[in-house]
Amino acid sequence: MRTGIATVCLSGTLKEKMQACAIAGFDGIEIFEQDLVTSSLSPEDVRKMAADLGLTLDLYQPFRDFDSVTEDLLAANLRRAEAKFRLMSRLGMDTILVCTNVATATIDDDDLRATQLAALADLAGEHGVKVAYEALAWGKYVNDYEHAHRLVEMVDHPNLGTCLDSFHILSRDWDTASIENINADKIFFVQVADAPKLSMDVLSWSRHYRVFPGEGQFELAKFMGHVVRAGYTGPVSLEVFNDVFRQSDVERTAVDAMRSLIWLEEQSAKWLDANAPVANGTAAGAAGTARRRYPMELATLPQVAEPAGFNFAEVKAADTGVLEKVLGQLGFEFNGRHRTKDVQLWTMGHARVIINEQAPAAAEPAIAALGFDVDSPVIASARAQQLKAPVVPRKSQANEEVFQGFAAPDSTEIFLCQGSPDGTAAWTAEFGQGLEVPSGARNAVIDHVNLAQPWQHFDEAVLFYTSALALEPQPYAEVASPSGLVRSQVMQTSDRDVRLVLNLAPVIQQEGADSGTASRKTYQEHIAFAVDDLVATARAARDRGLAFLQIPENYYEDLDARFDLDPGFLDTLRDLNLLYDRDADGEFLHFYTATVGSVFFEMVERRGNYDGYGAPNAPVRHAVQYDHLHDLTQTNH
């Protein structure tokens, strides 16, 4: 599959965009007119630079408001088009995108439109240019790709074809199966974009909320499957209008974009296999039948199963004393220090926490890495690398476990570990003798990990964990906090043994101690551990002196009103600062520790088949943590 991207997707100058696209590995680009108009590069410079970078110049766009106009306006439009055709000759480009008219269309007549498009095609032919006619979802008279194609067929000119854009088709819920009825020779170009499902006018939706494939909710694999079946062989190019992407680092966004096309190519191949045409009553994709070949070859990645569970979580800090104290109070056992690295191992049942002391001076505690159990770490790592995940090597000496690692978009290091049927980890033998602390939570596991995401990389993170780690995104939620809404996105395996919660949190500005204004997260990250008996765990932790997050009395009064709990049980919750939730499938008990640096811990107990995270309790936690952070800030000043 030939890959492309429109320069409008990225931040920076045209030169910077082209360089970033080449670094990311794209085959070609679409030149967005405004990028060229505002560039200091001449068309000849752009042409040479593209050749030097190994990029093809696939599409010049957009040419707007051509058809359905009066005769005098048509003449002006043809003059304007000829100027663009001459410009394209200087660029060495042969395809232009012409959008259906939005602003100047005044005559709703298909015969007139066909006549005007024929005049444009004739002019284009004189300059060796192909016109890709695209139905905008908000086009005044033509907003349906099938309507646009009918016009192309009416004209029947070798220089006029259609452009299929997934956003304009899927945002209007048009049936994509009809794409297969289009002659492949008349599909001049294909553009793809994903988007969240939103209730708003389609123009605003298109201009601000498109995202890369895998970061939204459109059925893009199905769309591409029909395109492939139609016989299309040209570029598959991203056209994404997104305010965040156009403010973000250009090289990083280009890599994210390329990752999305690699993922889409694989998903499209899977869709074709699962939806093979039926012949003689038997699906061609049935077991034992070879995959049907199409003119466009779709590559696939090394196939891996979803992670079987968390292997470990790692917290890094310059001063680890408070972390050690809190883990000990929770009931974790200290299993000693690594024989060659400045790290400690703490365990509770099968829940393992590594404390990394190799942090810069004065660095506050923060989640640094996560380990996942997988069937084949080498194959899973190879897949991640093909998806543009940056490798994170970890030094190992002889007879030490070699971890396959890569970096997530928020810089969290992800390590792939060889899972074991009994939940143990061979690498723990590399740690020296620790302290034997009797634990009442031998069945404890890491229940979930909550990571705060930088606002400009949230969508990137969703695609990253979907494609590289085979986690499935769930419908996102928004939680109220004193600083604004926190967007929460759960990523999980089908069996829920791995639950990763990504949060896009508001950011406040506060005066830095040394220089100017420093940005600080208002939402901390945490690791949650599941135990069989939370009440017993909480009591033991209190006896060891644990500082619980203090829950206000108003919460327990509201809890009683909502659930009519047994008074004795409610008193226990209140006494231990426990939170509670219940649904039709079960109950959920949990408590939080105070925050250390940017990290805090949560202990949970799931009763029955409760599958959530105590969402009604999240605003309470946010408010208490906000007050605590505010008090610390006032104290420091």
Side-chain angles (χ1 to χ4, degrees), residues 430-479:
E430 299 169 15
F431 288 78
Q433 189 65 32
L435 301 175
E436 288 298 328
V437 179
S439 173
R442 294 297 179 182
N443 295 321
V445 295
I446 295 177
D447 183 86
H448 63 274
V449 177
N450 184 304
L451 298 175
Q453 300 300 302
W455 63 271
Q456 68 271 43
H457 302 309
F458 187 87
D459 293 318
E460 177 187 0
V462 172
L463 172 62
F464 177 86
Y465 286 110
T466 300
S467 60
L469 211 57
L471 300 182
E472 286 295 324
Q474 307 304 302
Y476 72 83
E478 292 181 334
V479 178

Side-chain angles (χ1 to χ4, degrees), residues 18-19 21-22 26-29 49-57:
M18 293 175 67
Q19 290 171 334
C21 292
F26 282 95
D27 296 317
I29 60 173
M49 182 177 177
D52 291 343
L53 292 172
L55 294 170
T56 56
L57 299 179

Side-chain angles (χ1 to χ4, degrees), residues 32-105:
F32 194 73
E33 185 170 69
Q34 188 176 15
D35 286 325
L36 180 66
V37 170
T38 60
S39 176
S40 61
L41 298 173
S42 69
E44 291 76 15
D45 292 336
V46 172
R47 181 176 185 170
K48 182 179 184 305
M49 182 177 177
D52 291 343
L53 292 172
L55 294 170
T56 56
L57 299 179
D58 297 329
L59 186 75
Y60 188 82
Q61 66 120 327
F63 191 87
R64 300 188 187 278
D65 300 324
F66 175 81
D67 61 77
S68 311
V69 297
T70 58
E71 283 297 320
D72 58 335
L73 192 50
L74 174 64
N77 286 344
L78 288 171
R79 183 187 64 79
R80 181 164 55 96
E82 186 166 26
K84 296 305 176 185
F85 296 159
R86 289 195 296 268
L87 172 64
M88 290 171 62
S89 177
R90 296 172 63 192
L91 287 163
M93 302 180 72
D94 66 1
T95 307
I96 188 170
L97 178 71
V98 175
C99 306
T100 57
N101 202 325
V102 173
T104 62

Side-chain angles (χ1 to χ4, degrees), residues 307 310 312 314 367-374 380-381 384 389-394 403-417 449 451 464-465 468-469 471 500 502:
F310 286 99
F312 67 86
E314 179 180 309
I367 295 175
L370 298 174
F372 296 92
D373 288 330
V374 297
S381 178
V391 175
V392 176
R394 179 162 285 194
F403 288 152
Q404 303 290 328
F406 48 87
D410 66 352
S411 299
T412 301
E413 296 179 352
I414 304 298
F415 290 98
L416 305 172
C417 311
V449 177
L451 298 175
F464 177 86
Y465 286 110
L469 211 57
L471 300 182
L500 193 63
L502 308 179

Side-chain angles (χ1 to χ4, degrees), residues 16-287:
E16 292 170 336
K17 295 180 183 194
M18 293 175 67
Q19 290 171 334
C21 292
I23 291 171
F26 282 95
D27 296 317
I29 60 173
E30 304 174 38
I31 296 291
F32 194 73
E33 185 170 69
Q34 188 176 15
D35 286 325
L36 180 66
V37 170
T38 60
S39 176
S40 61
L41 298 173
S42 69
E44 291 76 15
D45 292 336
V46 172
R47 181 176 185 170
K48 182 179 184 305
M49 182 177 177
D52 291 343
L53 292 172
L55 294 170
T56 56
L57 299 179
D58 297 329
L59 186 75
Y60 188 82
Q61 66 120 327
F63 191 87
R64 300 188 187 278
D65 300 324
F66 175 81
D67 61 77
S68 311
V69 297
T70 58
E71 283 297 320
D72 58 335
L73 192 50
L74 174 64
N77 286 344
L78 288 171
R79 183 187 64 79
R80 181 164 55 96
E82 186 166 26
K84 296 305 176 185
F85 296 159
R86 289 195 296 268
L87 172 64
M88 290 171 62
S89 177
R90 296 172 63 192
L91 287 163
M93 302 180 72
D94 66 1
T95 307
I96 188 170
L97 178 71
V98 175
C99 306
T100 57
N101 202 325
V102 173
T104 62
T106 55
I107 307 171
D108 186 9
D109 184 325
D110 274 358
D111 289 334
L112 175 69
R113 274 186 282 273
T115 299
Q116 294 180 344
L117 287 170
L120 180 64
D122 285 339
L123 183 61
E126 295 174 8
H127 292 269
V129 170
K130 296 188 299 182
V131 174
Y133 186 56
E134 176 187 60
L136 295 181
W138 53 91
K140 187 171 182 180
Y141 298 131
V142 181
N143 55 30
D144 177 348
Y145 79 95
E146 292 184 88
H147 187 181
H149 178 58
R150 286 197 301 272
L151 291 168
V152 168
E153 288 186 313
M154 288 174 65
V155 174
D156 190 22
H157 194 291
N159 290 79
L160 181 67
T162 191
C163 173
L164 299 176
D165 184 310
S166 66
F167 182 87
H168 295 300
I169 295 171
L170 299 177
S171 64
R172 297 293 298 269
D173 291 324
W174 301 128
D175 182 9
T176 55
S178 297
I179 290 173
E180 296 186 37
N181 299 326
I182 301 176
N183 184 331
D185 292 338
K186 285 300 181 181
I187 304 176
F188 282 3
F189 208 75
V190 170
Q191 295 174 320
V192 291
D194 209 338
K197 292 292 183 68
L198 300 173
S199 297
M200 63 189 308
D201 72 276
V202 69
L203 176 58
S204 297
W205 188 11
S206 172
R207 285 289 175 259
H208 302 284
Y209 297 101
R210 296 195 200 191
V211 289
F212 295 131
E215 299 176 356
Q217 297 169 287
F218 284 167
E219 291 186 276
L220 288 181
K222 180 180 177 181
F223 166 83
M224 276 303 305
H226 292 308
V227 169
V228 172
R229 281 182 182 172
Y232 177 72
T233 59
V236 177
S237 185
L238 296 164
E239 189 195 39
V240 173
F241 297 87
N242 185 290
D243 298 339
V244 173
F245 294 170
R246 286 188 276 186
Q247 298 177 57
S248 304
D249 178 79
V250 61
E251 290 188 12
R252 179 167 179 167
T253 305
V255 168
D256 181 34
M258 188 65 210
R259 178 184 298 126
S260 76
L261 281 186
I262 295 170
W263 175 86
L264 177 59
E265 185 173 6
E266 178 187 49
Q267 296 304 306
S268 301
K270 288 182 177 180
W271 187 90
L272 285 168
D273 284 348
N275 297 273
V278 175
N280 298 323
T282 303

Side-chain angles (χ1 to χ4, degrees), residues 335-363:
N335 296 108
R337 296 178 178 275
H338 194 271
R339 60 191 182 208
T340 63
K341 302 178 179 69
D342 293 329
V343 298
Q344 309 170 27
L345 174 62
W346 292 73
T347 64
M348 176 188 285
H350 292 304
R352 290 179 283 270
V353 176
I354 292 174
I355 296 182
N356 190 333
E357 301 169 300
Q358 304 173 85

